[in-house]
Amino acid sequence: MSAPNTPGERREVPVAGHSFPDDSRTTRSHAGEALEDTRNWPGMILVGLGIVLVGLTLVAAGYGFEGWAIIAGIACGVCLVVGAALVVFEHRRVKALEGRSLTDPAGH
């Protein structure tokens, strides 16, 4: 019986022979899609930037910088909408390659 993982211990993760999606370790059809499909990254970065801009908008408004609050609010809205659209369009593209619709009830 092996000991539990200790800090600094390296575990071998079988990489060879596995492809996307990894059906041997998951039942979900798109598990890991966000990391495997790099076309999602610009959308995710824009959504993350939009979340940061929400904070900046609130700080600017709280300190009374109305001009900066308006600018940050507009940038926040644009980043969130464009980022979410990019992620949805990419997911729609992946589903279309499988011959399925975005609304098909088959996992995510």
Side-chain angles (χ1 to χ4, degrees):
M1 184 168 180
S2 64
N5 292 341
T6 57
E9 177 184 355
R10 291 188 59 138
R11 295 181 63 193
E12 290 187 13
V13 178
V15 176
H18 289 289
S19 63
F20 177 76
D22 189 2
D23 294 324
S24 65
R25 294 187 277 180
T26 185
T27 59
R28 305 294 277 188
S29 60
H30 292 279
E33 175 187 354
L35 298 176
E36 283 287 325
D37 187 5
T38 57
R39 291 184 182 187
N40 274 334
W41 291 3
M44 291 183 180
I45 289 170
L46 282 173
V47 168
L49 185 60
I51 292 170
V52 169
L53 285 169
V54 167
L56 292 175
T57 302
L58 293 173
V59 169
Y63 278 105
F65 295 110
E66 296 159 1
W68 285 111
I70 291 171
I71 291 170
I74 292 170
C76 168
V78 168
C79 285
L80 288 175
V81 169
V82 171
L86 286 174
V87 171
V88 168
F89 290 147
E90 176 57 21
H91 193 63
R92 182 178 292 166
R93 185 191 69 84
V94 169
K95 289 282 223 173
L97 289 175
E98 297 173 351
R100 296 165 71 187
S101 167
L102 189 61
T103 58
D104 284 347
H108 65 287

